[in-house]
């Protein structure tokens, strides 16, 4: 479920590693099998500004969403699994589920209680997990370097490009799109962002993940999407 944490006991550290593997397998079997294992163990990556552009791929509409050809497959199962995996991953990141599981599992393995469930219930009440405070990494690049990654195009042009991207995932013009479908589309077809916003190919997905959709299903309107992305585009990309 999570990487081995630093402990003061070498044996406990070794035991923790082994049990983590067992728990990961068990959870994988119980919840979306390989999808859940990927969500909780593998870091998600986004295209970077320095990746070469790839040839555009044929896209088509499936399930109301225009998806890259790579996601087509023989059935809708692969595309739906990718979107579900992304939704779970976003939830895990935003709620710090991975860090919480890591901490409580660490406490159980270090204390080795006779009744782990009662121990955990007591720990949650008496000494609950505290969400870590994260601060944004400062951009300490030289000003001349940052200037290379400023998108100085007119607002109207950037808004038009954002609308084109949004419409790929809202082909029926319903006025909303599913965030996870957009993120999966960006990962599967890097040309979507490379062709429109080559200086912010990693920043846009990151900003999209942080948007407050307000709904568990993760749907967003173009207004919400464009506001968040314009804020992202207002600073230098290429990080």
């Amino acid at each position: 479920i999570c990487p081995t944490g630093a402990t003061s006991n070498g044996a406990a550290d070794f035991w923790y590693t082994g049990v983590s593997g067992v728990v990961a397998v068990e959870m994988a079997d119980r919840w979306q099998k390989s999808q859940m294992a990927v969500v909780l163990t593998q870091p998600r990556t986004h295209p970077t500004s320095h990746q070469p552009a790839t040839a555009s791929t044929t896209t088509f509409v499936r399930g109301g969403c225009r998806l890259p050809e790579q996601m087509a497959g023989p059935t809708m199962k692969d595309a739906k699994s990718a979107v579900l995996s992304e939704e779970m991953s976003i939830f895990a990141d935003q709620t710090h589920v991975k860090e919480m599981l890591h901490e409580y599992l660490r406490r159980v393995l270090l204390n080795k209680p006779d009744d782990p469930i009662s121990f955990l219930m007591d720990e949650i009440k008496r000494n609950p997990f505290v969400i870590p405070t994260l601060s944004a990494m400062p951009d300490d690049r030289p000003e001349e370097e940052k200037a290379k990654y400023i998108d100085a195009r007119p607002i109207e042009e950037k808004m038009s490009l954002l609308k084109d991207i949004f419409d790929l995932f809202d082909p029926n013009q319903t006025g909303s799109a599913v965030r996870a479908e957009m993120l999966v589309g960006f990962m599967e077809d890097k040309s979507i962002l490379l062709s429109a916003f080559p200086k912010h190919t990693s920043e846009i997905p990151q900003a999209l993940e942080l948007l407050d959709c307000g709904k568990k299903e993760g749907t967003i309107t173009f207004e919400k999407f464009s506001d968040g992305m314009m804020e992202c585009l207002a600073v230098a990309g290429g990080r």
Side-chain angles (χ1 to χ4, degrees), residues 64-65 165-171 174-182 208 213 217-222 225:
C65 174
I165 291 175
F166 189 85
D167 287 347
L168 288 176
F169 302 93
D170 181 28
T174 63
S176 65
V178 178
R179 173 175 56 185
E181 289 182 353
M182 299 182 77
L208 184 55
C213 294
E217 55 269 28
T219 56
I220 55 174
T221 63
F222 175 68
F225 172 71

Side-chain angles (χ1 to χ4, degrees), residues 107-109 111-123:
R107 296 182 194 180
V108 169
L109 296 178
N111 288 277
K112 304 181 183 66
D114 293 333
D115 186 348
I117 293 178
S118 295
F119 172 81
L120 280 173
M121 292 175 64
D122 183 62
E123 279 292 299

Side-chain angles (χ1 to χ4, degrees), residues 53-101:
T54 57
S56 297
T57 57
T58 303
T59 59
F60 69 102
V61 174
R62 163 174 284 173
C65 174
R66 192 172 178 84
L67 298 174
E69 187 178 65
Q70 300 97 308
M71 294 176 59
T75 67
M76 291 181 63
K77 184 177 180 180
D78 292 340
K80 287 184 176 180
S81 294
V83 171
L84 177 59
S85 176
E86 188 67 25
E87 288 175 346
M88 289 191 296
S89 188
I90 292 172
F91 175 80
D93 285 347
Q94 292 182 342
T95 58
H96 300 278
V97 168
K98 288 178 280 189
E99 293 91 339
M100 179 179 65
L101 291 175

